[in-house]
Amino acid sequence: MFAFTLAGQGDLLATEVSVSGVNFTAYAVSHSDGSTNLVLVNKEPASTVHATVDIGNSGKSATITVLTGTGLDATTGFSIGGAPIKIDGSWSPSPAASIPVNGSILELDVPPASASIVSVLE
């Protein structure tokens, strides 16, 4: 749930995922400042998903924060941005990594049993 809070509040955008035989979902939130946040969820236990995302408009830059864990049903042992969320709610992630934007297209790998939060500035 914490990963979805990183997507922020805004207008939920329609998304379309075109894959077969893979348990993968995508969500997008548009913000009033022109940015868009994506949450890409790979529910496959052992397969990386190579995602090509068309954000619809030309993007200036994008960053990625990855949620990882020990398994799909893990309730402990996970991290977001390379850092665990402590029992008191504190969190000290590594800086988000940049990913290239080619016009309106982003390409990234979403590891097995993980989610990626992508922030795009347009």
Side-chain angles (χ1 to χ4, degrees):
M1 297 319 284
F2 186 81
F4 280 98
T5 66
L6 296 177
Q9 295 182 358
D11 295 326
L12 188 61
L13 302 173
T15 59
E16 182 179 322
V17 176
S18 299
V19 294
S20 57
V22 177
N23 194 351
F24 185 84
T25 54
Y27 306 89
V29 177
S30 175
H31 301 280
S32 60
D33 65 0
S35 65
T36 302
N37 286 347
L38 311 168
V39 179
L40 308 175
V41 183
N42 181 359
K43 299 176 207 156
E44 290 296 317
S47 301
T48 295
V49 172
H50 180 77
T52 301
V53 180
D54 186 342
I55 58 173
N57 298 314
S58 291
K60 293 180 184 173
S61 63
T63 59
I64 183 170
T65 301
V66 180
L67 176 150
T68 58
T70 56
L72 291 170
D73 58 355
T75 57
T76 62
F78 54 87
S79 66
I80 300 176
I85 301 168
K86 296 180 182 168
I87 196 77
D88 66 1
S90 62
W91 175 58
S92 299
S94 300
S98 294
I99 56 174
V101 181
N102 185 8
S104 66
I105 303 296
L106 307 169
E107 290 192 48
L108 63 142
D109 288 330
V110 183
S114 74
S116 294
I117 300 94
V118 179
S119 298
V120 182
L121 295 177
E122 296 177 9

